[in-house]
Amino acid sequence: MGAAQPVRDGSQTRSDTSAVRIGLLLPDVLGTYSDSGNATVLAKRLEWRGVATTVVPVRLGEPVPASLDLYMLGGGEDDAQALAAARLRASPGLRKATARGSVVLGICAGFQILGRRFTTSDRVEHTGLELLDAATVPGTRRAVGEVVAHVDATLGGQPLTGFENHQGHTELGPDGRPLGRVTRGVGNGDGTEGALSGRVIGTYLHGPVLARNPALADLLLSWVLGTPPRPLELPEVTELRRERLAHDRVGIRARS
Ligand code: GLN
């Protein structure tokens, strides 16, 4: 992303001029496939637009502050996931923050933790944070590989690309809205991908997902800033998306 030049004309309309605070939750436990990079992506996209940013890592054993603007949770193995869920259930910070409108993005294990409950491969059921109406059980086959999911216009309308590696199959409840519809890969396991409730998003896409999907990154930032951030041209990201989307089944059908 080095091609972008910082923009420092201060034209964002966030009324609160303090730095945007991005919480990176339990990076010592969750964060397979460089999921921690999602916090870096948000910080750089803000910095290049002249918005001050702080990334706040919250490690296992530290209380989760309720005062942050965004919270990122990465993926992890079942044991790490169960440990992280227990820790986050015991600390009220994330729930308090979402109640006052903070933005949350959970990836894979992080997504499952945000749901009502998840069952790990050892058949133990764990209580989730109940921020998304979703429940996860082990599927019959592990889902591994590239994913493309189409999202509607209210979520930016740009197809999402990412990489999945999970055993869990996630079913959304009546209050669960999918983030998108898979046209390549598995996602939740029923043709849908991820979940959304208010400003809380869960997705199976690693990548890190925000590096591969700038429209999603800017959607999260627009929720924090109160206005869509100005466009940012990153030719290498455009090229990455072109290459990844070339293998989308819909794209292939459209060309044949
Ligand atoms: N342990 C979970 C599963 O296998 C999540 C995996 C992940 O975060 N990559 O479903």
Side-chain angles (χ1 to χ4, degrees):
M1 295 190 191
Q5 293 302 309
V7 179
R8 299 199 185 279
D9 67 5
S11 63
Q12 301 296 335
T13 60
R14 187 171 189 248
S15 52
D16 176 359
T17 52
S18 60
V20 171
R21 286 161 51 92
I22 302 168
L24 182 55
L25 296 186
L26 311 184
D28 44 351
V29 179
L30 298 176
T32 43
Y33 306 116
S34 300
D35 296 324
S36 298
N38 289 315
T40 309
V41 170
L42 290 176
K44 295 308 281 185
R45 294 185 75 83
L46 285 166
E47 185 192 311
W48 287 330
R49 286 140 159 163
V51 180
T53 312
T54 315
V55 176
V56 182
V58 181
R59 299 194 173 81
L60 197 71
E62 296 173 356
V64 177
S67 56
L68 308 181
D69 299 297
L70 298 106
Y71 295 81
M72 304 283 119
L73 285 108
E77 308 289 330
D78 282 5
D79 288 351
Q81 177 176 344
L83 178 65
R87 177 66 213 146
L88 292 170
R89 276 198 313 270
S91 182
L94 186 59
R95 275 212 191 88
K96 281 191 185 159
T98 53
R100 57 167 190 79
S102 294
V103 174
V104 182
L105 176 68
I107 312 295
C108 203
F111 167 30
Q112 296 176 7
I113 290 170
L114 293 175
R116 294 193 185 283
R117 59 190 173 276
F118 60 89
T119 303
T120 37
S121 297
D122 56 6
R123 302 280 155 190
V124 175
E125 185 179 283
H126 305 263
T127 306
L129 300 180
E130 303 182 321
L131 296 174
L132 293 170
D133 189 7
T136 301
V137 293
T140 47
R141 283 176 49 192
R142 194 161 190 88
V144 184
E146 287 290 317
V147 185
V148 176
H150 287 253
V151 300
D152 69 33
T154 61
L155 299 175
Q158 300 293 320
L160 301 174
T161 84
F163 177 81
E164 64 184 341
N165 182 355
H166 56 101
Q167 189 74 37
H169 175 125
T170 299
E171 193 171 325
L172 304 187
D175 295 331
R177 175 183 168 192
L179 181 61
R181 212 146 262 294
V182 286
T183 54
R184 182 179 186 204
V186 176
N188 294 343
D190 62 356
T192 65
E193 155 44 36
L196 167 76
S197 175
R199 294 177 170 187
V200 179
I201 289 182
T203 176
Y204 273 113
L205 305 189
H206 298 276
V209 66
L210 298 184
R212 293 175 57 154
N213 299 282
L216 181 63
D218 282 353
L219 177 70
L220 304 187
L221 294 180
S222 72
W223 289 343
V224 171
L225 298 170
T227 185
R230 83 172 65 79
L232 202 57
E233 285 305 318
L234 299 171
E236 56 273 60
V237 175
T238 306
E239 175 58 19
L240 172 68
R241 287 185 59 75
R242 191 199 58 71
E243 187 253 317
R244 292 287 122 180
L245 289 166
H247 299 291
D248 180 14
R249 288 202 307 263
V250 168
I252 289 166
R253 269 204 302 274
R255 282 194 300 278
S256 60

